[in-house]
Amino acid sequence: MPSKDFARIALFAAIMVVLGLFPLIELPLVPAPFTAQTLGVMLAGSILGARRGGLAILLFVVLVVIGLPVLPGGRGGLSVILGTTGGFVLAYPVGAFVVGLLTERLWKRYNLGWALLCNAVGGALVLYAIGIPWMSVAADLPFGPTLVGSAVFLPGDAVKVVIASLAAVAVRRAYPLIDADRR
């Protein structure tokens, strides 16, 4: 892997840390807060691609696991991973990988519409698919009400999907980082 890739991976892990400085917003109906870091998951995948985006976010998750206070509210450590929000944090690298994989597959015809789809699937649905069942088990809540209550995330995540998609399309036009052999 070229040294530029290591630098980009470290840069996006740092972007995740910076996004953690935004205050978390406690939401009704679910024991998980709304944060800005899922925007970083979408940006990493859609700008760096599957492998580099997934590795960048995996590096961030390692920082969380070893206890650095890189999550909103200065949180970090195994207690967070084993808690109600741990499934979402563990889903971050998977989500970035899926966003990147879809972006690479659609690279030749990538536009705002495809970007919205890629970011919604990888940056929201994948995180919900892993995070919501985890939250249900960790909080000892029935799955159905947890799933319904998680609908409070939808408006904010829709805004993040739009922001990430606009950024991804702009970066693709100005400075595409996804390699030609992955298109």
Side-chain angles (χ1 to χ4, degrees), residues 96-114:
F97 182 85
V98 170
V99 169
L101 186 65
L102 293 172
T103 300
E104 290 170 1
R105 296 291 182 252
L106 298 166
W107 190 249
K108 288 183 180 175
R109 55 181 184 249
Y110 194 73
N111 58 28
L112 183 59
W114 288 120

Side-chain angles (χ1 to χ4, degrees), residues 52-72:
R52 291 177 296 185
L55 286 173
I57 305 306
L58 181 61
L59 174 60
F60 171 77
V61 171
V62 169
L63 298 177
V64 172
V65 169
I66 64 173
L68 295 180
V70 294
L71 291 171

Side-chain angles (χ1 to χ4, degrees):
M1 182 180 293
S3 59
K4 282 183 178 180
D5 287 347
F6 285 113
R8 290 172 180 148
I9 289 168
L11 174 65
F12 271 81
I15 289 171
M16 286 290 287
V17 172
V18 170
L19 289 170
L21 297 175
F22 287 89
L24 55 87
I25 301 169
E26 298 291 341
L27 298 172
L29 307 176
V30 290
F34 179 81
T35 72
Q37 288 180 319
T38 51
L39 176 62
V41 170
M42 296 175 205
L43 290 172
S46 62
I47 292 174
L48 295 180
R51 186 174 51 116
R52 291 177 296 185
L55 286 173
I57 305 306
L58 181 61
L59 174 60
F60 171 77
V61 171
V62 169
L63 298 177
V64 172
V65 169
I66 64 173
L68 295 180
V70 294
L71 291 171
R75 299 172 306 129
L78 281 177
S79 62
V80 174
I81 297 299
L82 297 175
T84 57
T85 60
F88 291 103
V89 175
L90 292 175
Y92 285 174
V94 179
F97 182 85
V98 170
V99 169
L101 186 65
L102 293 172
T103 300
E104 290 170 1
R105 296 291 182 252
L106 298 166
W107 190 249
K108 288 183 180 175
R109 55 181 184 249
Y110 194 73
N111 58 28
L112 183 59
W114 288 120
L116 290 168
L117 178 67
C118 296
N119 285 311
V121 170
L125 292 180
V126 167
L127 301 186
Y128 295 161
I130 297 170
I132 292 172
W134 184 289
M135 181 169 54
S136 175
V137 171
D140 197 26
L141 297 170
F143 179 73
T146 304
L147 178 64
V148 172
S150 297
V152 297
F153 292 120
L154 292 175
D157 285 342
V159 170
K160 287 185 275 188
V161 165
V162 171
I163 292 170
S165 299
L166 290 170
V169 169
V171 170
R172 181 183 184 269
R173 287 186 189 136
Y175 190 74
L177 296 175
I178 294 180
D179 297 333
D181 61 338
R182 293 189 189 145
R183 293 180 195 168

